[in-house]
Structure formats: C-alpha cells, structure tokens
Amino acid sequence: MKQPINQRMAALAHSEIERLTQACVQAKGLNMAQGVCDTPVPPVVLRAAAQAMERGKNVYSRFDGLPELRQAIAKSLRVQRHRG
C-alpha cells in the first residue's frame, strides 16, 4: 500500500543556489557562490582574513566580487591559458 506524500513535501525542491552548486560540481568548476570551501585554507589567507576583520572588513562584499579579486583571478586564468 502506497503512503500518501505530504503536499508540502511534494512541492519541496532544491534552491537555485543548490542547483548552481550541483552544476558547478558536474563541470568541475570553482563555486564561489555559497562561501563553502572543501579545500584547506592557506595560512597566508587565514592571516589576511584575520587582519581584514581587525580593520573592520567583516561584511558581505559586492554581489559581483571585489574588483581587485576579479582582476587577480582573470590574470591567473590568462597565465594558465598561455601555459596550457
């Protein structure tokens, strides 16, 4: 005998951010959307984060990222493309 599914549960779905995360995993991409990282944090990053928090930098950044970080990532990707 089949048990009825609660109507609220039947409508339950993954959030958009979760769908994006799954797509990123399938593409073997770097997900910077959720703030969840499964790799060890380099000590230099930990020190820089602590220093930034001590200076009061402890709020969410712009939705499209910090310009300096975007530029550094773009530069790194250009270097990788030229090597590969």
Side-chain angles (χ1 to χ4, degrees):
M1 178 166 123
K2 257 186 161 178
Q3 290 190 345
I5 297 176
N6 181 299
Q7 289 180 352
R8 287 174 48 190
M9 292 302 290
L12 191 64
H14 285 290
S15 67
E16 283 298 311
I17 195 82
E18 180 61 25
R19 280 194 276 274
L20 291 172
T21 296
Q22 292 304 318
C24 188
V25 167
Q26 289 175 351
K28 295 186 168 96
L30 175 63
N31 183 359
M32 298 178 74
Q34 290 191 36
V36 177
C37 185
D38 60 359
T39 58
V41 179
V44 66
V45 173
L46 290 173
R47 286 191 300 274
Q51 290 170 357
M53 287 185 284
E54 288 169 359
R55 291 191 313 270
K57 301 246 182 210
N58 56 5
V59 297
Y60 285 108
S61 63
R62 295 171 31 154
F63 75 94
D64 58 347
L66 299 173
E68 311 86 69
L69 179 58
R70 292 173 55 87
Q71 291 167 2
I73 292 170
K75 180 179 178 181
S76 176
L77 292 173
R78 282 193 300 272
V79 168
Q80 289 176 17
R81 273 191 232 134
H82 289 307
R83 288 183 186 163

